[in-house]
Amino acid sequence: MIALLSVWPRQRQQSNSVVGLALDGARLEGVWLRRTNGSMRVEKAFSALLTLDPLTAEPELVGREIRNHLDAAGIRERDCVVGLPLKWALTAQVELPELAEPDRAGFLALEAERNFPCDAATLQICHSLYQAGGKQHALLVGIPRTHLVGLEQALRAARLKPRSFGLAAAWTAGSTAGDLALFIGESTVELRLVGGGGIAALRSLEGTLATEGGRPRIESEIVAREVRITLGQLPADLRQNIHTARVFGTRDLAQQLADELELQLEPRGLKFEVVTRYAGTEFGLHLPPDTAVSPALNLAAERLAGRPAVFEFLPPHLTAWQRLATHQALGKYRLVGSVAAAVLVLAGGGFGYQQWQLTRLAREWSAMAPRVKELQVVQQQIKQYSPWFDD
């Protein structure tokens, strides 16, 4: 039955339209992207501040607020992909021994239990494999399941159909080995490093953005220190391949951060490049050359290009057939359980009745035991003296 259900439902065709949403603190950024004839175009876009926290407020209220922003922007598409903030995630880097493929998942589960400061069962955990120092490593990323379930409920309350939950900072289109990227967000700077055939580092650099006179200001010294720490923790062969760093964000802040980091990290020979526009070919589909870089557009474009997310955190969703199979299976299990319980009750009742009979007979024997003992003494005397007497 399970094998039949796996092939029965028709595969859902790739959509030609999707909404990309990116959460960054209280800011929600959205882009409605459509694919036509090998190219993509932006239909609508918006950026808004949420008054309700998706992690603490009621999902229905959060969904209503999101729906209001979508309606105000004129976005009618329901399929969506969502970029989660990196500060929700816990990360750990582990070295993999030589293991068979079936044993890798168990080893990574044990490493997650050992490295994460909470019960790994409460996290949705993904990993990225990469090579370093002649050995295989894995970057583990875990996000609390409660965050994901609450966000999914809010999106469905907004009449959206979430198709993917990824990390906005895990965008890898156009990346090469040794690609170090810094993403300037609303309240943090996020760091991502591609190397060894996968993502080798992901970090949310806290305390790197401040507000001064109502305008954002970047603490470049903190960013430089965290970059040094990250590079120092990498194996030598990965670190030696990093020569250029890309900075994503608004033009003024990105240029300021790039200039200051290039001076502060000059001994390492890093060259910083500011990226504010797409080259037009990162996703294999044409984008207008003046399109501004944004996390929401990255997610939507990778979805339309058919590229799976490096880290997929969307909770598994059962189809109608799977729910029916599960319901039937549960019904069968309930029937089997009921029969087994009935058998146990009957067997227990039989043993209980037998024990009651044994107890009753033991009590009766205790009452007659003295008289039986006297009778046995008399019978013994009769057997002893009967030969001395005739009839």
Side-chain angles (χ1 to χ4, degrees), residues 76-340:
R76 300 184 302 274
E77 176 61 49
R78 298 188 64 187
D79 285 355
C80 71
V81 292
V82 183
L84 308 175
L86 190 53
K87 65 181 180 181
W88 286 10
L90 299 172
T91 62
Q93 294 170 317
V94 299
E95 180 180 324
L96 290 173
E98 293 186 4
L99 292 172
E101 184 72 24
D103 300 328
R104 181 185 296 163
F107 177 80
L108 291 177
L110 291 175
E111 288 297 309
E113 289 282 358
R114 189 171 67 87
N115 285 277
F116 290 140
C118 62
D119 185 0
T122 65
L123 302 174
Q124 185 86 359
I125 300 174
C126 299
H127 69 272
S128 174
L129 301 178
Y130 63 95
Q131 295 286 336
K135 298 181 180 180
Q136 192 171 49
H137 296 71
L139 173 66
L140 300 178
V141 182
I143 294 182
R145 295 180 185 272
T146 53
H147 293 10
L148 302 173
V149 171
L151 179 59
E152 184 181 16
Q153 291 175 348
L155 293 172
R156 295 193 181 279
R159 302 196 298 277
L160 293 172
K161 295 179 180 178
R163 302 300 182 186
S164 175
F165 281 175
L167 289 172
W171 170 52
T172 58
S175 298
T176 57
D179 178 28
L180 176 64
L182 296 170
F183 302 90
I184 302 176
E186 183 72 15
S187 57
T188 62
V189 174
E190 297 179 344
L191 180 149
R192 183 220 63 207
L193 175 64
V194 175
I199 295 182
L202 277 175
R203 294 189 61 194
S204 177
L205 310 182
E206 299 291 339
T208 52
L209 280 173
T211 303
E212 189 176 83
R215 300 182 61 184
R217 177 174 57 85
I218 294 184
E219 301 288 350
S220 59
E221 296 84 1
I222 299 178
V223 178
R225 183 189 66 203
E226 297 299 328
V227 170
R228 291 192 196 97
I229 293 173
T230 302
L231 296 179
Q233 294 172 341
L234 295 175
D237 58 337
L238 278 185
R239 186 167 57 249
Q240 292 169 359
N241 289 328
I242 302 172
H243 305 291
T244 304
R246 296 189 293 168
V247 181
F248 296 84
T250 58
R251 167 64 68 176
D252 294 340
L253 285 179
Q255 190 63 59
Q256 173 195 345
L257 180 60
D259 293 340
E260 294 179 359
L261 288 182
E262 191 158 348
L263 291 174
Q264 296 176 21
L265 298 174
E266 185 176 3
R268 293 187 175 271
L270 281 177
K271 300 297 181 182
F272 286 84
E273 173 189 352
V274 175
V275 181
T276 58
R277 294 288 187 270
Y278 292 102
T281 58
E282 287 93 341
F283 305 99
L285 297 172
H286 178 71
L287 268 174
D290 59 342
T291 305
V293 173
S294 74
L297 196 147
N298 295 340
L299 297 161
E302 288 193 327
R303 177 75 178 182
L304 293 183
R307 298 180 178 180
V310 179
F311 302 102
E312 180 55 73
F313 295 99
L314 183 65
H317 178 66
L318 296 179
T319 65
W321 289 105
Q322 291 170 329
R323 287 195 298 270
L324 178 60
T326 302
H327 179 72
Q328 290 179 347
L330 289 176
K332 293 179 181 178
Y333 292 148
R334 281 194 291 268
L335 177 60
V336 172
S338 299
V339 172

Side-chain angles (χ1 to χ4, degrees), residues 45-64:
F46 74 94
S47 180
L49 289 175
L50 297 177
T51 59
L52 297 175
D53 187 347
L55 300 183
T56 57
E58 290 293 329
E60 293 78 9
L61 299 179
V62 177
R64 189 182 307 167

